[in-house]
Amino acid sequence: MRNERNTTVLSRQPPQDFFGRTAEIEALIEFAGTAQDRGCVRVSHGPGFGVSELLRQTYDRLFHACGAKIPIYFSIRRSDLTAERCARRLIYQFLVQAASYKLRQPRIIAYSPALEEIRNLVPAPDREWMGRLVEFLQNRESKSDEEIVVGSTFGAMLRAVNASPAIFFIDDLNEAQFLDDGASLISALDAAAQTAGVSLVIAELRRSHLGIYSSAHIQMPELSHFDAVRMIEANSRSLRIELKQPATDLIAIQLDCRPARIEALLRAAGEAKRSLMSFRDVETVSTDEVIGGRMARYFQNILHDAAPEPAAQKRITETLHDLYDSQSEGFTLEALNQRTDLGDSAPKALSILHLNEFLNISAGGVSGTHDRALVDHIDVRYRLEIAGGNRALVVGDTLTESLKRAPELLAKLYRRNSSAGLRELLASFDSRQVPAVLFDHSLFKSEFGGRSDAEILASLANGPDMLRLPHVVHSVNTESLYKPIAQLIERERSAVGLGFDANNYVNDEEVAWIAVELDSKTEATAELAEFWCDRLDAVAVACGFSRYKIWLVAADGFSDDAMDMLRSRGSYASSRKQLDLLREYMQLKPEAAARQHAEEYEIVVPMGENTELIAAHAVEEIAKRYDFDSKTINQIKTALVEACINASEHGHSPDGKIYQRFRFDQNKISMTVSNRGLRLTDRKPAAKPTDGRRGWGLALMRKLMDEVVIEDVEDGTSISMVKYCAPSS
Amino acid sequence: MGTENTSAAGESAVVLAGDYLNKLTGERIERECRMRLNEGCRKIVVDFSQTEIVNSIGISILLGVIDSASIAGATVVFSDVNEHTVELFEMLGVSKHAVVNPNQ
């Protein structure tokens, strides 16, 4: 029987293929479940962050949970043209979704039944209040005062909600500005947010402030790279796109991990039946998308919203092109107005561009965007429409430039992933005392050189000289405060923590810690350390820090000369090992977990004589690295051997290979053994009865492992196994 | 008289299981045990001192050996079995039909 919880109602992806939004979904579910009968949660998001699917996934969870509140999802559409029509569509959706919920029949939503059908469908207890709403809709007459019409429409619905509490998910709130008298819709929603019996979740672009009362605010962050990769892999499987690393990483980083952009690119690849196995594959599809695909249409629509008139769009395109130039320092608002020359429509146009993050207007001026797909699109538009370039040449150039850029993007990603996480670490400084030796590399080397981490931590616990950390109230990448540092170091490798010494919030105790992770293959030299001390002094001066501490980090630490110099300047210096120990001492989640990155290993072995032993020995070595006890290791090895034998014996594999993936989280080992060939459903039952002594492999796997799932995949079979365990002490 | 993997003395024979008990080694053990039973052995000791891993096919073959021995009126002892293999024998019910001596 199909697991109901895996059945989608409104969401477009099965829940197991929706990644990276667990915290947001849990927060919304908790809000829905509160006994509080009113309230509004505002979910603010960047363009393309995938908020619609977040709301739909939450809706589905609530639908299957059968709670007291009926979930209602509603997306505001400009195609309604007027606020009143939009409000009436909201009531209709309320009726349809309420009926679907009451009857536990998700398909009713897709059928879009007529009003009379809805009245006849619902169970008796709900017929009265739903019938009143149906009559309200059927009897509506347009009135001249739009606000009264919208208000009364909402009023009718809110009276219905008294009979049956509901939680409304209002998506695409910013589209209301394109409705005739959209302001009345916003007012009605604001009133609803403060009405008993109504729980509201509104999704709004993060730069928008439509002023709807909200009791809580969820700021949807960018999807992590790790989750974006998982999303790409899952979507590629369902779209039947052949995919390979590092193409996956390139897609994620090039599209800034924005789900909407990723979906557009994957759909384009799926429709064109293209694989995404190489940089060239990715950039070919991406180039098509930014020039004439879904992404291009999305950007074009926003430009049209800002300025319907083609000449004005051209001026905007040219302005954006210059703004996005990597050398650009930005514009003043006056310069922007002058260049775009939009006259009376300028405020609305620029507001639309700002809202959709085509540019950033602040008190300091106007700056560009980090959205790579948008930058590429504007560049193409400029070259075609303004510079009058030959289309074939522009397409070719865009592709070649993207291919040249691809390795640089991945290099940035790799360096970022291997960074020490200084910003997060500084953010955790809370004026506690920590061993001072962790900030002095030569002292650390002389006291603890050659000793294991466990020994060092035990010694640190016995109270050596201590250092009181500042209480950091705000940490930020240095580049955000001092742009020139970007010429010298990647963004993630330098951070500033602003705070106070000794928890004393007074001027004299205010302090800034400026940290940087140096690039040095061996112990950093005095010359290198001095170079950085001078640079960070400049940062402090430029930012006006009267009290500051410099903290240098190098993978292998610092030479003795470097340490002498650093001590004379009152600076701290640590190796990566000292940083890791500091985290351990402070009981922070290790950097890998902060990125939610499990360790993954993949092995492919040919089917053949005893090759399962190769896999077994490999997983044994890996498990030993994670300090798992010998009993657990033996159990895992045996289960793996059985899975490999199962793949070899039953699969009729065309390539004769067994694909294995091992994933180590903190207290868990996950293994997947898969093969191409016959799926379970394709296999014929055994021709002759066995004596009951074969087929024990699966039984053994189930006894030895905590979870075993055997499933058909597209072209074969996959066995997934999980063992929960504690590392040996 | 004995082969490389077997030694026999009177009514007892010792058969070496090898480092990995799988279908191949299981069939070898089965063949050797059959030979010894036919020669009149009444006690077969399968030596697991070098055995690191066993799989379910190998175990199922061992049960066949136990059946054959039982029919011949002989006993089967599994000696020097490591802790993990003892666990597997218990899971699959081997311990009910043969003497399992764990390694010390």
Side-chain angles (χ1 to χ4, degrees):
Chain A
M1 185 172 158
R2 207 165 171 200
N3 184 346
E4 192 191 63
R5 287 183 181 275
N6 287 334
T7 308
T8 59
V9 181
L10 293 184
S11 58
R12 296 189 185 162
Q13 289 160 335
Q16 65 269 22
D17 288 348
F18 186 67
F19 300 103
R21 300 298 185 198
T22 306
E24 289 83 1
I25 290 181
E26 295 298 329
L28 291 173
I29 300 274
E30 190 182 332
F31 171 66
T34 55
Q36 192 182 338
D37 68 350
R38 75 186 73 190
C40 176
V41 173
R42 176 173 167 252
V43 181
S44 61
H45 61 95
F49 274 29
V51 71
S52 299
E53 186 62 13
L54 166 68
L55 298 186
R56 289 191 288 255
Q57 290 280 336
T58 310
Y59 176 96
D60 281 8
R61 287 263 303 255
L62 291 171
F63 189 99
H64 291 307
C66 307
K69 291 182 190 166
I70 306 172
I72 307 291
Y73 172 84
F74 182 74
S75 168
I76 296 178
R77 290 190 214 137
R78 64 178 76 182
S79 55
D80 286 326
L81 300 179
T82 68
E84 205 257 336
R85 276 197 200 165
C86 185
R88 286 161 55 79
R89 189 167 60 83
L90 172 56
I91 292 193
Y92 173 76
Q93 280 298 320
F94 174 59
L95 285 166
V96 169
Q97 292 180 38
S100 169
Y101 188 77
K102 294 283 183 183
L103 293 167
R104 312 303 309 147
Q105 292 285 342
R107 290 185 191 186
I108 291 175
I109 302 172
Y111 294 157
S112 298
L115 289 171
E116 275 308 315
E117 280 183 273
I118 297 172
R119 196 210 299 256
N120 295 332
L121 271 173
V122 295
D126 299 300
R127 219 165 271 163
E128 191 188 335
W129 67 267
M130 291 185 92
R132 282 200 296 273
L133 261 185
V134 167
E135 279 168 22
F136 177 85
L137 276 185
Q138 286 172 330
N139 297 335
R140 288 300 299 130
E141 289 173 6
S142 288
K143 297 215 175 354
S144 58
D145 188 332
E146 192 79 29
E147 185 146 352
I148 291 178
V149 166
V150 171
S152 67
T153 307
F154 263 74
M157 190 176 65
L158 296 178
R159 283 191 293 279
V161 167
N162 267 335
S164 202
I167 174 166
F168 291 83
F169 295 93
I170 307 294
D171 197 3
D172 298 309
L173 192 66
N174 295 98
E175 289 290 284
Q177 65 181 307
F178 297 103
L179 296 171
D180 232 16
D181 198 29
S184 62
L185 188 68
I186 301 296
S187 297
L189 282 168
D190 186 36
Q194 301 173 71
T195 304
V198 177
S199 301
L200 210 59
V201 175
I202 54 170
E204 193 178 357
L205 285 171
R206 58 188 171 185
R207 290 185 182 176
S208 159
H209 296 282
L210 291 170
I212 294 181
Y213 165 81
S214 61
S215 50
H217 179 202
I218 296 175
Q219 292 184 64
M220 215 171 151
E222 286 176 13
L223 203 60
S224 71
H225 184 88
F226 177 65
D227 287 319
V229 165
R230 291 203 291 168
M231 177 199 164
I232 293 165
E233 288 170 348
N235 282 9
S236 298
R237 275 195 299 273
S238 63
L239 292 170
R240 296 169 185 261
I241 299 168
E242 230 183 321
L243 183 71
K244 199 172 153 187
Q245 282 287 19
T248 319
D249 276 336
L250 179 60
I251 293 168
I253 194 167
Q254 184 157 306
L255 300 179
D256 304 310
C257 300
R258 295 181 197 236
R261 309 259 193 278
I262 290 171
E263 196 187 283
L265 184 138
L266 293 179
R267 285 201 177 278
E271 285 160 4
K273 299 198 186 336
R274 285 202 78 107
S275 60
L276 295 169
M277 305 280 277
S278 64
F279 287 179
R280 184 184 162 178
D281 288 342
V282 171
E283 299 303 355
T284 302
V285 177
S286 176
T287 300
D288 287 344
E289 269 296 294
V290 297
I291 292 177
R294 282 181 184 83
M295 275 192 241
R297 286 194 292 279
Y298 169 79
F299 297 136
Q300 279 160 15
N301 288 342
I302 291 172
L303 282 171
H304 185 266
D305 285 344
E309 201 246 329
Q313 281 185 38
K314 271 193 176 175
R315 291 194 296 276
I316 290 176
T317 301
E318 188 170 3
T319 306
L320 290 175
H321 175 263
D322 293 346
L323 189 61
Y324 295 166
D325 186 288
S326 59
Q327 305 301 318
S328 169
E329 297 273 326
F331 301 154
T332 61
L333 195 53
E334 291 72 27
L336 179 68
N337 276 317
Q338 212 171 14
R339 294 187 61 145
T340 52
D341 190 21
L342 296 167
D344 291 338
S345 60
K348 184 179 175 191
L350 297 182
S351 169
I352 289 172
L353 293 175
H354 174 77
L355 208 63
N356 287 281
E357 302 187 17
F358 274 45
L359 44 71
N360 181 32
I361 301 174
S362 66
V366 183
S367 57
T369 180
H370 297 296
D371 185 337
R372 279 191 194 86
L374 172 57
V375 171
D376 289 346
H377 173 74
I378 293 296
D379 185 58
V380 165
R381 273 184 84 117
Y382 174 85
R383 294 179 66 185
L384 288 174
E385 295 174 8
I386 295 161
N390 171 279
R391 187 178 178 86
L393 189 60
V394 168
V395 171
D397 275 354
T398 305
L399 177 56
T400 53
E401 288 303 314
S402 301
L403 279 167
K404 284 190 280 185
R405 181 183 64 186
E408 285 168 25
L409 287 180
L410 285 182
K412 270 191 190 166
L413 171 68
Y414 302 149
R415 278 193 225 108
R416 185 175 75 203
N417 283 351
S418 65
S419 74
L422 288 171
R423 187 165 75 91
E424 292 77 16
L425 183 57
L426 285 172
S428 68
F429 285 5
D430 55 2
S431 80
R432 73 174 84 181
Q433 297 213 62
V434 295
V437 70
L438 296 178
F439 291 85
D440 184 319
H441 181 253
S442 59
L443 193 61
F444 179 81
K445 198 168 65 171
S446 69
E447 277 191 37
F448 299 116
R451 292 167 69 179
S452 72
D453 288 2
E455 285 173 333
I456 296 171
L457 282 167
S459 300
L460 291 177
N462 292 332
D465 289 340
M466 303 298 270
L467 168 77
R468 185 173 289 284
L469 296 174
H471 180 199
V472 171
V473 299
H474 182 57
S475 76
V476 66
N477 294 115
T478 308
E479 189 185 310
S480 302
L481 300 178
Y482 184 72
K483 253 186 126 170
I485 201 99
Q487 320 245 349
L488 299 172
I489 197 131
E490 287 91 5
R491 187 178 171 78
E492 291 75 20
R493 288 178 175 263
S494 180
V496 174
L498 302 172
F500 297 86
D501 282 328
N503 261 338
N504 231 339
Y505 300 157
V506 296
N507 280 343
D508 289 348
E509 300 292 351
E510 200 174 331
V511 70
W513 275 48
I514 314 171
V516 74
E517 189 186 349
L518 315 187
D519 210 354
S520 176
K521 290 185 179 37
T522 56
E523 284 184 342
T525 61
E527 194 184 343
L528 182 62
E530 190 163 29
F531 172 87
W532 276 103
C533 279
D534 291 343
R535 294 297 151 316
L536 298 191
D537 279 338
V539 170
V541 167
C543 295
F545 299 147
S546 53
R547 290 180 74 237
Y548 61 96
K549 185 63 74 178
I550 289 174
W551 184 23
L552 304 187
V553 177
D556 283 340
F558 297 80
S559 67
D560 291 339
D561 286 346
M563 284 310 303
D564 288 340
M565 184 280 299
L566 287 164
R567 275 198 212 100
S568 71
R569 291 176 77 146
S571 300
Y572 295 138
S574 308
S575 62
R576 276 300 287 265
K577 188 172 170 112
Q578 284 168 282
L579 236 66
D580 291 341
L581 287 166
L582 178 64
R583 282 198 175 90
E584 192 86 39
Y585 185 89
M586 292 172 69
Q587 295 181 333
L588 299 175
K589 284 183 188 172
E591 183 58 18
R595 286 196 286 268
Q596 297 175 40
H597 207 104
E599 299 277 349
E600 280 199 12
Y601 301 79
E602 288 184 15
I603 301 175
V604 180
V605 298
M607 294 175 182
E609 199 148 319
N610 297 344
T611 54
E612 64 270 14
L613 287 184
I614 299 172
H617 288 137
V619 83
E620 178 175 17
E621 284 306 311
I622 299 167
K624 280 179 183 171
R625 281 171 173 249
Y626 291 87
D627 291 329
F628 287 100
D629 64 86
S630 58
K631 179 174 175 179
T632 303
I633 293 175
N634 281 327
Q635 289 174 335
I636 292 163
K637 279 167 67 177
T638 303
L640 181 62
V641 161
E642 295 298 336
C644 289
I645 291 170
N646 187 80
S648 299
E649 286 207 326
H650 302 298
H652 295 275
S653 168
D655 64 0
K657 292 181 183 168
I658 308 172
Y659 301 85
Q660 294 148 83
R661 179 180 280 187
F662 312 110
R663 184 186 158 118
F664 288 78
D665 292 301
Q666 217 163 349
N667 294 319
K668 185 174 84 171
I669 299 174
S670 308
M671 304 194 291
T672 304
V673 178
S674 54
N675 63 279
R676 291 183 58 205
L678 291 185
R679 300 169 306 166
L680 288 170
T681 46
D682 299 327
R683 295 178 196 176
K684 292 184 185 151
K688 49 185 180 179
T690 66
D691 60 5
R693 285 175 178 169
R694 291 301 297 274
W696 282 351
L698 292 181
L700 260 186
M701 280 187 255
R702 292 193 202 283
K703 284 180 198 286
L704 293 168
M705 303 296 283
D706 294 310
E707 292 171 21
V708 178
V709 174
I710 303 166
E711 53 188 346
D712 287 341
V713 293
E714 209 170 82
D715 181 28
T717 306
S718 170
I719 300 178
S720 303
M721 300 179 277
V722 177
K723 182 81 177 174
Y724 296 95
C725 38
S728 58
S729 51
Chain B
M1 174 176 145
T3 66
E4 183 179 303
N5 295 308
T6 329
S7 59
E11 294 194 342
S12 295
V14 178
V15 177
L16 201 58
D19 55 1
Y20 177 32
L21 177 64
N22 59 1
K23 182 168 182 278
L24 195 66
T25 51
E27 285 170 348
R28 174 184 59 73
I29 294 170
E30 189 180 40
R31 196 171 54 247
E32 289 179 16
C33 288
R34 205 180 301 120
M35 263 171 47
R36 297 297 156 225
L37 289 171
N38 289 340
E39 287 168 4
C41 278
R42 287 296 163 260
K43 183 176 174 184
I44 306 283
V45 177
V46 183
D47 181 351
F48 282 85
S49 59
Q50 294 173 15
T51 309
E52 186 198 335
I53 303 183
V54 304
N55 72 29
S56 55
I57 299 173
I59 295 175
S60 70
I61 295 174
L62 285 185
L63 282 170
V65 167
I66 293 169
D67 285 345
S68 303
S70 174
I71 290 168
T75 56
V76 177
V77 175
F78 297 144
S79 73
D80 285 302
V81 185
N82 70 36
E83 197 181 327
H84 176 60
T85 307
V86 168
E87 182 190 19
L88 296 179
F89 283 171
E90 281 168 6
M91 278 179 191
L92 295 178
V94 171
S95 316
K96 292 180 198 165
H97 305 291
V99 177
V100 177
N101 291 332
N103 58 10
Q104 297 304 316

